[in-house]
Amino acid sequence: MVMPVRGLVVIVLTGLMLTGCVPSERPDAATPPDRETLLTTTASCHLLRVGQTNDVAATDATVIIAADKYHLSITAIVERANRMVKEYERRPSDLIARAMEACDQLAELTGTAPALVRFESDGTLRTTWLRIDGVEITPGFAQRTITELRLRKAIGLVINSPGGSVDEARKLGRYLRANGLRTAVDDYCASACIDVLAGGVERYATQGARIGVHQSKVPPRYSSHEGGQLYVADAFLYLREMGVDADVAIAAATVPNDRVLIISLAEALSARLITGVVEGFE
């Protein structure tokens, strides 16, 4: 069922199995650590997703793959996680840092990108995404969207927007990446919207989707000639941070603000702006 919420709806992605276990760009790692270290690493990554979502029915794709690949029992992972919470009770920031590093380590070991996985009460995978259609990205947009993602316990965001505030878009994009969330577009995503799209750990488009780029309106702090160059550099660095071919930022800088260059899905795939094409949503 589709439920409107102030321009937002909860949807389910079709044409794709949403296990969250997608191949990483990293090569499969060589030798795993000893079993005790591996168990601690797996439990740490599990704790990261539980802590981020405040939901014990959440974990990471790399945890699932590592448990299966190295024959780690779920009970042992949870017990180790509970023990670590007590050990780091007075040093929570240390635990967070260790957990974030752990997910990257598991990604190296499993060849799987870190991504949020959630379960329903009956044990089935949760496949709920949040949709935002035709909304301009304005001040406060990132926090409003983050609040809805948490409220809906979504595993991803479908974003269709003509753009708007680059700062808000990148704030949301970095949140999506840090929290293992996916993104998709099934209609039109242009300008600052692609910064949100780029933030997903997995990034999808439907066959009819249009993804567009052009020069962004430069904020006042970049109003000088040198500032304009820095603005392009910031766009370049952000996309590179997200694992997207940063030449997309250069292409955007060549298109006047009153025009839009539509990137073909083939080009978007090649540039890693999207990681797959799906059938649609229901």
Side-chain angles (χ1 to χ4, degrees):
M1 181 173 68
V2 178
M3 303 189 308
V5 186
R6 300 196 192 103
L8 309 173
V9 296
V10 179
I11 55 88
V12 177
L13 184 64
T14 60
L16 184 76
M17 288 298 293
L18 290 176
T19 61
C21 305
V22 294
S24 168
E25 292 182 44
R26 306 174 178 88
D28 223 10
T31 307
D34 63 85
R35 193 168 184 80
E36 280 299 300
T37 301
L38 181 60
L39 182 58
T40 297
T41 300
T42 306
S44 298
C45 183
H46 172 66
L47 274 176
L48 178 67
R49 298 307 182 205
V50 170
Q52 286 175 332
T53 59
N54 194 29
D55 183 4
V56 295
T59 191
D60 192 85
T62 60
V63 171
I64 295 174
I65 297 298
D68 180 64
K69 185 174 182 178
Y70 299 110
H71 309 292
L72 303 173
S73 75
I74 300 302
T75 299
I77 293 171
V78 172
E79 287 177 350
R80 180 60 56 87
N82 289 337
R83 193 172 86 188
M84 292 182 70
V85 169
K86 292 180 180 179
E87 290 174 354
Y88 285 86
E89 187 174 8
R90 296 184 179 180
R91 296 176 292 137
S93 60
D94 290 348
L95 181 56
I96 292 171
R98 180 167 188 172
M100 293 180 70
E101 182 180 356
C103 287
D104 287 336
Q105 291 172 344
L106 286 187
E108 295 287 348
L109 285 172
T110 62
T112 301
L116 175 66
V117 176
R118 305 186 83 146
F119 295 92
E120 303 287 5
S121 57
D122 62 0
T124 59
L125 283 169
R126 185 170 179 81
T127 57
T128 298
W129 289 46
L130 186 69
R131 173 191 288 276
I132 298 179
D133 279 320
V135 176
E136 185 178 356
I137 301 171
T138 56
F141 175 85
Q143 189 55 56
R144 289 193 298 271
T145 303
I146 289 168
T147 298
E148 289 292 341
L149 286 164
R150 290 172 174 166
L151 178 64
R152 303 294 167 181
K153 295 184 177 181
I155 63 164
L157 170 69
V158 179
I159 176 84
N160 293 298
S161 168
S165 168
V166 169
D167 288 344
E168 288 290 318
R170 291 178 189 165
K171 178 181 177 181
L172 178 55
R174 289 188 171 104
Y175 172 87
L176 295 168
R177 181 60 59 89
N179 287 266
L181 294 163
R182 304 150 184 82
T183 53
V185 55
D186 64 354
D187 185 13
Y188 180 67
C189 177
S191 193
C193 179
I194 71 165
D195 287 336
V196 178
L197 179 64
V201 292
E202 303 167 32
R203 305 173 291 281
Y204 299 111
T206 59
Q207 286 289 352
R210 294 171 299 149
I211 301 172
V213 297
H214 64 179
Q215 295 173 1
S216 298
K217 292 181 179 178
V218 179
R221 68 177 182 276
Y222 291 105
S223 58
S224 68
H225 174 71
E226 292 79 6
Q229 291 178 318
L230 287 172
Y231 191 62
V232 174
D234 283 349
F236 185 97
L237 292 172
Y238 173 79
L239 291 178
R240 189 169 69 178
E241 175 189 340
M242 295 297 117
V244 176
D245 186 342
D247 283 348
V248 171
I250 305 302
T254 67
V255 182
N257 183 259
D258 59 352
R259 300 181 186 177
V260 175
L261 171 66
I262 299 297
I263 301 174
S264 71
L265 295 187
E267 291 170 327
L269 282 166
S270 178
R272 298 287 297 169
L273 184 55
I274 61 173
T275 57
V277 178
V278 295
E279 292 178 8
F281 307 92
E282 66 178 26

